[in-house]
Amino acid sequence: DQQVKQNSPSLSVQEGRISILNCDYTNSMFDYFLWYKKYPAEGPTFLISISSIKDKNEDGRFTVFLNKSAKHLSLHIVPSQPGDSAVYFCAAGYNFGNEKLTFGTGTRLTIIP
Amino acid sequence: EAQVTQNPRYLITVTGKKLTVTCSQNMNHEYMSWYRQDPGLGLRQIYYSMNVEVTDKGDVPEGYKVSRKEKRNFPLILESPSPNQTSLYFCASSSILGTGADEAFFGQGTRLTVV
């Protein structure tokens, strides 16, 4: 059973516009959420995270929103740049005592110049 | 430079021929894990290790073995590879200090093909 889901396998966005990537989870015990970015032929790299005690976290052009009641998080990229074209994975884990991360299936983001 | 190093990057092998994929990290991280990435399935955890001599099964451990004799190394062993183990494999490490679930550092991946 897929506990973390990314329902959009791909997304195309015009350069300069907002990219919104979505992620849903089913396990209410998750209390820490992360986004990873992956370029071809490279390993995933950490992008941004959010703890369940917050509903928003910003880092430059990247903002993650968490809606605990809906078990939904989203990543906003504003403005989108060609270098943002990559596969994005959301992951869910625990704040204390358990390092295990459960990953979603990924969304391939393509930024159109 | 902080990094996780996997070897080899690419490997083609035949069914049943034992192989080992090495993973080494230089960040003194306690937690290490192996994932496989398959189309439509994302990253799935194979095995993980909380520290030296402490390993446990992840979500898809069948057909794999691991060992953690030293803190920096976490090799993945396929005793008798089968074609359904053809996949892209990633090793990752993270620290268990602080708040936990800290961001994991990933290796560059090993693309394995079993024919």
Side-chain angles (χ1 to χ4, degrees):
Chain A
D1 180 36
Q2 193 76 29
Q3 294 189 68
V4 180
K5 299 178 185 178
Q6 293 175 256
N7 291 319
S8 298
S10 63
L11 176 67
S12 294
V13 174
Q14 206 76 33
E15 181 179 358
R17 305 293 290 268
I18 183 172
S19 295
I20 300 176
L21 294 91
N22 294 303
C23 179
D24 297 293
Y25 61 96
T26 57
N27 186 347
S28 58
M29 299 301 289
F30 290 139
D31 58 7
Y32 198 76
F33 304 90
L34 309 91
W35 284 93
Y36 284 83
K37 177 178 180 179
K38 184 184 176 307
Y39 291 120
E42 293 183 14
T45 54
F46 170 74
L47 190 57
I48 192 169
S49 63
I50 187 167
S51 168
S52 60
I53 61 173
K54 301 172 83 171
D55 53 19
K56 177 182 173 181
N57 188 27
E58 264 183 280
D59 184 2
R61 296 185 297 113
F62 303 91
T63 303
V64 56
F65 294 92
L66 176 62
N67 182 334
K68 290 187 290 295
S69 60
K71 296 193 183 69
H72 176 84
L73 64 153
S74 60
L75 174 68
H76 292 210
I77 307 173
V78 182
S80 300
Q81 300 174 353
D84 297 329
S85 294
V87 176
Y88 290 78
F89 291 98
C90 66
Y94 305 91
N95 255 320
F96 296 98
N98 188 337
E99 287 297 307
K100 178 176 169 57
L101 292 176
T102 300
F103 284 83
T105 51
T107 296
R108 181 178 300 278
L109 175 66
T110 302
I111 305 302
I112 305 164
Chain B
E1 181 191 352
Q3 59 184 5
V4 178
T5 303
Q6 292 178 230
N7 279 297
R9 292 290 310 277
Y10 302 92
L11 179 60
I12 301 174
T13 190
V14 296
T15 299
K17 185 176 181 182
K18 181 179 177 179
L19 67 92
T20 299
V21 184
T22 63
C23 174
S24 180
Q25 50 96 2
N26 64 0
M27 295 166 279
N28 202 36
H29 284 164
E30 298 81 11
Y31 188 87
M32 297 185 74
S33 56
W34 277 101
Y35 294 87
R36 60 180 287 174
Q37 183 188 352
D38 301 290
L41 297 174
L43 289 160
R44 295 180 294 166
Q45 191 181 57
I46 303 170
Y47 266 94
Y48 66 94
S49 169
M50 297 290 286
N51 215 323
V52 175
E53 301 292 2
V54 181
T55 63
D56 210 344
K57 296 177 180 178
D59 299 314
V60 287
E62 294 78 20
Y64 304 94
K65 283 175 57 177
V66 292
S67 70
R68 188 89 182 273
K69 292 183 169 51
E70 303 164 286
K71 197 172 187 179
R72 62 183 292 125
N73 296 323
F74 190 46
L76 178 70
I77 303 154
L78 284 72
E79 294 269 4
S80 183
S82 61
N84 65 12
Q85 292 178 298
T86 292
S87 186
L88 179 57
Y89 292 86
F90 290 100
C91 178
S93 75
S94 60
S95 173
I96 62 172
L97 300 177
T99 59
D102 287 341
E103 66 265 23
F105 291 81
F106 283 82
Q108 290 191 291
T110 296
R111 185 166 291 283
L112 172 66
T113 303
V114 183
V115 298

